[in-house]
Amino acid sequence: MAPGHPAYGSGARSVAARSAWAARSAVVLVPAGLMFFLSAWGIRRQDAVWRDEAVTYDMAHRGLPDLAATLLHVDVVHGLYYALMHCWFAVYDATLGDALGAVIGLRLPSAVAMTAAAAGVALLGERLVGRCAGLCAGLAFALVPVVQQYAQEGRSYALVCALVVWASYLLVLVAGTRPRRALWWGYTALMVLACLLHEFASLALPAHGAAVALARLPRRTRRAWLLAAGTVLAVLAPLAVFSTSQSDQISWLMWPDPLQLLTFAVLAVLGCLCARVPVRSRGPIGLRALGLALLLLPTVLLLLLSNVEPAYVDRYVLYYVVGFALVAGAAAARLLRPAGVAGQTPARRLRRSAAVALVLAALLPVDVHLRSPDSRVDDVTAVAQAVRQISEPGDGLLFTPSRRRIWRATRPHDFRGLPDLALDRDPVASRTLYGTELSGDEIRDRMLASRRIVVAGDPAGQPADTNDQEIAKRATLRSAFVVCRRTRVRGAEVTLYVRVGGPGGGGRC
């Protein structure tokens, strides 16, 4: 066909359109595909489940009336997440549960959510700077180890991160176009949902507010954002007020974990250095304004709050990694641009590419470790298996402290035939996470009537609870029992005690 023929021009335009569509699709699909691959890689973690995931599994498998009754007493801050997981497991258990197993079902929603977050980060970077920056931002997000960690965890943090990402995208979209009510409603709905899943998602609002203020947007747009933010806080307020009555749940928090602080400090410093690379933003909301605000403000505000009442855990503001990914992606796109573009030389590009490769190689051992059972504070599955191996039917069972009763939630069959000597009412009947226990004297009497007791407890060196029940357990074990066998697993000790002297003595190892 001759170049001058009308059909030739139409065909050329069609090819160009398809090429442009493919290029834009790659910006989203490549980071999303990488994120899903990294989420699926080692997701079972040898079927290891840690205590917080066990809580998710237990609460999601309670009936909705029992779940609602429990939330009135404990864990209301995660109530929406548990309800969503209840609905998810109702479908999953009936369809894929037998084929894939409970562990996959527990973590798959987080893997999908983090995949959506990576896609959103890529689109956000594209909107702020350009396609190459968006692609690099999405890849940077997926490659950060802490992102991969929570992509494989049965908790709400990946969902919250994804919602904050897409809310940020809608904010940038509405700021760069003629304000549309539907976009503001979408932004508000996503932030409301994020905050109801976890209250500290509200700390993304100051970051968004800073970006809006620095953008010098029209007064109408600023007022619309203030209305949206006020609506989010108004919807969140009743939950926030009610949850203060359950603040004892985070009484275990002390000063922030040094490793978590180091992770944030490293990403913050690297992010600030990346922000110094000259990059031109496309729209009124600048890359640095939004990226640095998301990277720094939520964590700094949470650390300041922790000076009043300890509350800092990095996963509570996991979405700060989005800010790092945006500035790092834009810097990478600029620094790794093709030779001959804007003064780039082949040697300089090679050196910079080698530096990136070295960083990725250094992260590989961390990525491998995250997929091992030792990467979490404990291993509920290993505890249950140790109890099964060390016990015989009829042996007494104790959990020390009582909150470690959650270790039996995911594998109750491994504890079958072992009477729980301290238990008064089980978790469902008592509308609690761990059940309620008898008085110290009653626990002592039950223990003395047993010849063998299996104790699942914290490893040596952990602070001991000082309530009457725990004191009675420790004192009775010291005075009337001897250690027969002990097994140490990740984050726990499982010990078999045998009665000596007195009625019921003479138990065998």
Side-chain angles (χ1 to χ4, degrees), residues 58-114:
D58 176 45
M59 296 290 274
H61 281 84
R62 297 188 187 190
L64 288 178
D66 291 326
L67 175 60
T70 302
L71 295 175
L72 293 175
H73 299 88
V74 67
D75 236 11
V76 70
V77 292
H78 298 296
L80 177 59
Y81 175 67
Y82 294 148
L84 293 175
M85 289 298 288
H86 173 88
C87 298
W88 159 248
F89 271 115
V91 176
Y92 179 85
D93 289 342
T95 54
L96 301 174
D98 291 339
L100 299 180
V103 172
I104 298 293
L106 187 62
R107 295 173 183 154
L108 188 57
S110 293
V112 172
M114 209 60 96

Coordinates of all heavy atoms in Angstrom, one line a residue, residues 58-114:
D58 N -8.8 -17.1 63.6 CA -9.8 -17.4 64.6 C -11.1 -16.5 64.5 O -12.2 -17.0 64.5 CB -9.2 -17.3 66.0 CG -10.2 -17.6 67.1 OD1 -11.0 -18.5 67.0 OD2 -10.2 -16.8 68.1
M59 N -10.8 -15.2 64.4 CA -11.9 -14.3 64.4 C -12.7 -14.4 63.1 O -13.9 -14.3 63.1 CB -11.4 -12.8 64.5 CG -10.7 -12.6 65.9 SD -11.9 -12.5 67.2 CE -12.4 -10.8 67.1
A60 N -12.0 -14.7 62.0 CA -12.7 -14.8 60.7 C -13.6 -16.0 60.6 O -14.5 -16.1 59.8 CB -11.7 -14.8 59.5
H61 N -13.3 -17.0 61.4 CA -14.1 -18.2 61.4 C -15.1 -18.3 62.5 O -15.8 -19.3 62.7 CB -13.1 -19.5 61.6 CG -12.5 -19.8 60.3 ND1 -11.3 -19.2 59.8 CD2 -12.8 -20.7 59.3 CE1 -10.9 -19.7 58.7 NE2 -11.8 -20.6 58.3
R62 N -15.3 -17.2 63.2 CA -16.4 -17.1 64.2 C -17.7 -16.7 63.4 O -17.6 -16.0 62.4 CB -16.1 -16.1 65.3 CG -14.9 -16.5 66.2 CD -14.8 -15.6 67.4 NE -13.6 -15.9 68.1 CZ -13.3 -15.5 69.3 NH1 -14.1 -14.6 69.9 NH2 -12.2 -15.8 69.9
G63 N -18.8 -17.1 63.9 CA -20.1 -16.6 63.3 C -20.2 -15.1 63.4 O -19.6 -14.5 64.4
L64 N -20.9 -14.4 62.5 CA -21.0 -13.0 62.6 C -21.5 -12.4 63.9 O -21.0 -11.4 64.5 CB -21.8 -12.4 61.4 CG -21.1 -12.5 60.0 CD1 -22.0 -12.0 58.9 CD2 -19.8 -11.7 60.1
P65 N -22.6 -13.1 64.5 CA -23.0 -12.6 65.8 C -22.0 -12.8 66.9 O -21.8 -11.9 67.7 CB -24.2 -13.5 66.1 CG -24.7 -14.0 64.8 CD -23.5 -14.1 63.9
D66 N -21.2 -13.9 66.9 CA -20.1 -14.0 67.9 C -19.0 -13.0 67.6 O -18.4 -12.5 68.6 CB -19.6 -15.5 67.8 CG -20.5 -16.5 68.3 OD1 -21.3 -16.2 69.2 OD2 -20.6 -17.6 67.7
L67 N -18.7 -12.8 66.4 CA -17.7 -11.8 66.0 C -18.1 -10.4 66.5 O -17.3 -9.7 67.2 CB -17.5 -11.8 64.5 CG -16.5 -10.7 64.0 CD1 -15.1 -10.9 64.6 CD2 -16.4 -10.8 62.5
A68 N -19.3 -10.0 66.2 CA -19.8 -8.7 66.7 C -19.8 -8.6 68.2 O -19.3 -7.5 68.7 CB -21.2 -8.5 66.2
A69 N -20.2 -9.6 68.9 CA -20.1 -9.6 70.4 C -18.7 -9.5 70.9 O -18.5 -8.8 71.9 CB -20.8 -10.9 70.9
T70 N -17.8 -10.2 70.2 CA -16.4 -10.1 70.7 C -15.8 -8.7 70.5 O -15.1 -8.2 71.3 CB -15.5 -11.1 69.9 OG1 -16.1 -12.4 70.1 CG2 -14.1 -11.1 70.4
L71 N -16.2 -8.1 69.3 CA -15.6 -6.8 69.0 C -16.1 -5.7 70.0 O -15.4 -4.7 70.2 CB -16.0 -6.3 67.6 CG -15.4 -7.2 66.5 CD1 -16.0 -6.8 65.2 CD2 -13.9 -7.2 66.5
L72 N -17.2 -5.9 70.7 CA -17.6 -5.0 71.7 C -16.6 -5.0 72.9 O -16.6 -4.1 73.7 CB -19.0 -5.3 72.2 CG -20.1 -5.1 71.2 CD1 -21.5 -5.6 71.8 CD2 -20.2 -3.7 70.8
H73 N -15.9 -6.1 73.0 CA -14.9 -6.2 74.2 C -13.5 -6.0 73.8 O -12.7 -5.6 74.6 CB -15.1 -7.6 74.9 CG -16.5 -7.8 75.4 ND1 -17.5 -8.3 74.7 CD2 -17.0 -7.5 76.6 CE1 -18.6 -8.4 75.4 NE2 -18.4 -7.9 76.6
V74 N -13.1 -6.4 72.5 CA -11.7 -6.4 72.2 C -11.6 -6.4 70.7 O -12.4 -6.8 69.9 CB -11.1 -7.8 72.7 CG1 -11.6 -9.0 72.0 CG2 -9.6 -7.7 72.6
D75 N -10.4 -5.7 70.2 CA -10.0 -5.7 68.8 C -11.0 -5.1 67.9 O -11.0 -5.4 66.7 CB -9.7 -7.1 68.4 CG -8.3 -7.3 67.8 OD1 -7.5 -6.3 68.0 OD2 -8.0 -8.3 67.2
V76 N -11.8 -4.1 68.3 CA -12.7 -3.4 67.4 C -12.0 -2.7 66.3 O -12.6 -2.5 65.2 CB -13.6 -2.5 68.2 CG1 -12.8 -1.2 68.8 CG2 -14.8 -2.0 67.4
V77 N -10.7 -2.3 66.5 CA -10.0 -1.6 65.5 C -9.8 -2.4 64.3 O -9.6 -1.9 63.2 CB -8.6 -1.1 66.0 CG1 -8.8 0.0 67.1 CG2 -7.8 -2.2 66.6
H78 N -9.8 -3.7 64.4 CA -9.7 -4.6 63.2 C -11.0 -5.2 62.8 O -11.1 -6.2 62.1 CB -8.7 -5.7 63.6 CG -7.3 -5.2 63.8 ND1 -6.6 -4.6 62.9 CD2 -6.5 -5.3 65.0 CE1 -5.4 -4.3 63.4 NE2 -5.4 -4.7 64.7
G79 N -12.1 -4.7 63.4 CA -13.4 -5.4 63.2 C -13.8 -5.5 61.7 O -14.3 -6.5 61.3
L80 N -13.7 -4.4 60.9 CA -14.0 -4.5 59.5 C -13.2 -5.5 58.8 O -13.7 -6.3 57.9 CB -13.9 -3.1 58.9 CG -14.2 -3.0 57.4 CD1 -15.6 -3.5 57.1 CD2 -13.9 -1.6 56.8
Y81 N -11.9 -5.6 59.1 CA -11.0 -6.5 58.4 C -11.5 -8.0 58.7 O -11.6 -8.8 57.8 CB -9.6 -6.3 58.8 CG -8.7 -7.4 58.3 CD1 -8.4 -7.5 56.9 CD2 -8.0 -8.3 59.1 CE1 -7.5 -8.4 56.4 CE2 -7.2 -9.2 58.6 CZ -6.9 -9.3 57.3 OH -6.1 -10.3 56.8
Y82 N -11.8 -8.2 60.0 CA -12.3 -9.6 60.4 C -13.6 -9.9 59.6 O -13.8 -11.1 59.2 CB -12.5 -9.7 61.9 CG -11.2 -9.5 62.7 CD1 -11.2 -9.0 64.0 CD2 -10.0 -10.0 62.2 CE1 -10.1 -8.9 64.7 CE2 -8.8 -9.9 63.0 CZ -8.9 -9.3 64.2 OH -7.7 -9.2 65.0
A83 N -14.5 -8.9 59.5 CA -15.7 -9.2 58.8 C -15.5 -9.5 57.4 O -16.1 -10.4 56.8 CB -16.7 -8.0 59.0
L84 N -14.6 -8.8 56.7 CA -14.3 -9.0 55.3 C -13.6 -10.4 55.2 O -13.9 -11.2 54.2 CB -13.3 -8.0 54.8 CG -13.9 -6.5 54.6 CD1 -12.8 -5.6 54.2 CD2 -15.1 -6.5 53.7
M85 N -12.7 -10.8 56.1 CA -12.1 -12.1 56.0 C -13.1 -13.2 56.3 O -13.0 -14.3 55.8 CB -10.9 -12.1 57.0 CG -9.7 -11.3 56.6 SD -9.0 -11.8 55.0 CE -8.2 -13.3 55.5
H86 N -14.1 -12.9 57.2 CA -15.1 -13.9 57.4 C -15.9 -14.2 56.1 O -16.1 -15.4 55.7 CB -16.1 -13.4 58.4 CG -17.3 -14.3 58.6 ND1 -17.4 -15.3 59.5 CD2 -18.5 -14.3 58.0 CE1 -18.5 -15.9 59.4 NE2 -19.3 -15.3 58.5
C87 N -16.2 -13.2 55.3 CA -16.9 -13.4 54.0 C -16.0 -14.1 53.0 O -16.4 -14.9 52.3 CB -17.3 -12.0 53.5 SG -18.5 -11.2 54.5
W88 N -14.7 -13.7 53.0 CA -13.7 -14.3 52.1 C -13.6 -15.8 52.4 O -13.7 -16.6 51.5 CB -12.4 -13.6 52.3 CG -11.2 -14.4 51.8 CD1 -10.2 -15.0 52.5 CD2 -10.9 -14.8 50.4 NE1 -9.3 -15.7 51.8 CE2 -9.7 -15.6 50.5 CE3 -11.5 -14.6 49.2 CZ2 -9.1 -16.1 49.3 CZ3 -10.9 -15.1 48.1 CH2 -9.8 -15.9 48.1
F89 N -13.4 -16.2 53.7 CA -13.3 -17.6 54.0 C -14.5 -18.4 53.8 O -14.5 -19.6 53.5 CB -12.8 -17.7 55.5 CG -11.3 -17.7 55.7 CD1 -10.7 -16.7 56.4 CD2 -10.5 -18.7 55.2 CE1 -9.4 -16.7 56.6 CE2 -9.2 -18.7 55.3 CZ -8.6 -17.7 56.0
A90 N -15.7 -17.7 53.9 CA -16.9 -18.5 53.6 C -16.9 -18.9 52.1 O -17.4 -20.0 51.8 CB -18.1 -17.5 53.8
V91 N -16.3 -18.1 51.2 CA -16.2 -18.6 49.8 C -15.0 -19.5 49.6 O -15.1 -20.5 49.0 CB -16.1 -17.3 48.9 CG1 -15.9 -17.7 47.5 CG2 -17.4 -16.4 49.1
Y92 N -13.9 -19.1 50.2 CA -12.6 -19.8 50.0 C -12.7 -21.2 50.5 O -12.4 -22.2 49.8 CB -11.5 -19.1 50.6 CG -10.2 -19.8 50.5 CD1 -9.4 -19.6 49.3 CD2 -9.7 -20.6 51.5 CE1 -8.1 -20.2 49.2 CE2 -8.5 -21.2 51.4 CZ -7.7 -21.0 50.2 OH -6.5 -21.7 50.1
D93 N -13.2 -21.4 51.7 CA -13.3 -22.7 52.3 C -14.2 -23.7 51.5 O -14.0 -24.9 51.5 CB -13.8 -22.6 53.8 CG -12.7 -22.0 54.7 OD1 -11.6 -22.0 54.3 OD2 -13.1 -21.6 55.8
A94 N -15.2 -23.1 50.9 CA -16.2 -23.9 50.2 C -15.7 -24.3 48.8 O -16.2 -25.2 48.1 CB -17.5 -23.2 50.1
T95 N -14.6 -23.5 48.3 CA -14.2 -23.8 46.9 C -12.7 -24.2 46.8 O -12.4 -25.3 46.4 CB -14.4 -22.5 46.1 OG1 -13.7 -21.4 46.8 CG2 -15.8 -22.1 45.9
L96 N -11.8 -23.4 47.3 CA -10.4 -23.7 47.1 C -9.7 -24.2 48.4 O -8.5 -24.6 48.4 CB -9.7 -22.4 46.7 CG -10.2 -21.8 45.4 CD1 -9.5 -20.5 45.1 CD2 -9.9 -22.7 44.2
G97 N -10.4 -24.2 49.5 CA -9.8 -24.5 50.8 C -9.1 -25.9 50.8 O -8.0 -26.0 51.3
D98 N -9.8 -26.9 50.4 CA -9.3 -28.2 50.4 C -8.1 -28.4 49.5 O -7.1 -29.1 49.8 CB -10.3 -29.3 50.0 CG -11.4 -29.4 51.0 OD1 -11.2 -29.0 52.2 OD2 -12.5 -29.8 50.7
A99 N -8.1 -27.7 48.3 CA -7.0 -27.8 47.4 C -5.7 -27.0 47.8 O -4.6 -27.5 47.6 CB -7.5 -27.3 46.0
L100 N -5.9 -25.8 48.3 CA -4.8 -24.9 48.6 C -4.4 -24.8 50.0 O -3.3 -24.5 50.3 CB -5.1 -23.5 48.0 CG -5.4 -23.4 46.5 CD1 -5.6 -21.9 46.1 CD2 -4.2 -23.9 45.7
G101 N -5.4 -25.1 50.9 CA -5.1 -25.0 52.3 C -5.4 -23.7 53.0 O -5.5 -22.7 52.3
A102 N -5.4 -23.7 54.3 CA -5.8 -22.5 55.1 C -4.8 -21.4 55.0 O -5.2 -20.2 55.0 CB -6.1 -22.9 56.5
V103 N -3.5 -21.8 54.9 CA -2.5 -20.7 55.0 C -2.6 -19.8 53.7 O -2.5 -18.6 53.8 CB -1.1 -21.4 55.1 CG1 0.0 -20.3 54.9 CG2 -1.0 -22.0 56.4
I104 N -2.8 -20.5 52.6 CA -3.0 -19.7 51.3 C -4.2 -18.8 51.4 O -4.1 -17.6 51.1 CB -3.1 -20.6 50.1 CG1 -1.8 -21.4 49.9 CG2 -3.4 -19.8 48.9 CD1 -0.6 -20.6 49.6
G105 N -5.3 -19.3 51.9 CA -6.5 -18.5 52.1 C -6.3 -17.3 53.0 O -6.8 -16.3 52.8
L106 N -5.5 -17.5 54.1 CA -5.2 -16.5 55.0 C -4.4 -15.3 54.4 O -4.7 -14.1 54.7 CB -4.4 -17.0 56.2 CG -4.2 -16.2 57.4 CD1 -5.5 -15.7 58.1 CD2 -3.3 -16.9 58.4
R107 N -3.5 -15.6 53.5 CA -2.6 -14.6 53.0 C -2.9 -14.1 51.6 O -2.4 -13.1 51.2 CB -1.1 -15.2 53.0 CG -0.7 -15.5 54.4 CD 0.7 -16.2 54.5 NE 1.0 -16.4 55.9 CZ 1.8 -17.4 56.3 NH1 2.3 -18.2 55.4 NH2 2.0 -17.6 57.6
L108 N -3.7 -14.8 50.8 CA -4.0 -14.4 49.5 C -4.6 -13.0 49.3 O -4.2 -12.3 48.4 CB -4.9 -15.5 48.8 CG -5.2 -15.3 47.3 CD1 -3.8 -15.3 46.5 CD2 -6.1 -16.4 46.8
P109 N -5.6 -12.6 50.2 CA -6.1 -11.3 50.1 C -5.0 -10.2 50.2 O -5.0 -9.2 49.5 CB -7.1 -11.2 51.2 CG -7.5 -12.6 51.4 CD -6.3 -13.4 51.2
S110 N -4.0 -10.4 51.1 CA -2.9 -9.4 51.2 C -2.0 -9.4 50.0 O -1.6 -8.4 49.5 CB -2.1 -9.8 52.4 OG -2.8 -9.6 53.6
A111 N -1.8 -10.6 49.4 CA -1.0 -10.7 48.2 C -1.7 -9.9 47.0 O -1.0 -9.1 46.3 CB -0.8 -12.1 47.8
V112 N -3.0 -10.1 46.9 CA -3.7 -9.4 45.8 C -3.7 -7.9 46.1 O -3.6 -7.1 45.2 CB -5.1 -10.0 45.7 CG1 -6.0 -9.2 44.8 CG2 -5.1 -11.4 45.3
A113 N -3.9 -7.5 47.4 CA -4.0 -6.1 47.7 C -2.7 -5.4 47.4 O -2.6 -4.3 46.9 CB -4.3 -5.9 49.2
M114 N -1.5 -6.1 47.8 CA -0.2 -5.5 47.5 C 0.1 -5.4 46.0 O 0.7 -4.5 45.5 CB 0.8 -6.2 48.3 CG 2.0 -5.3 48.6 SD 1.6 -4.0 49.7 CE 2.0 -4.7 51.3

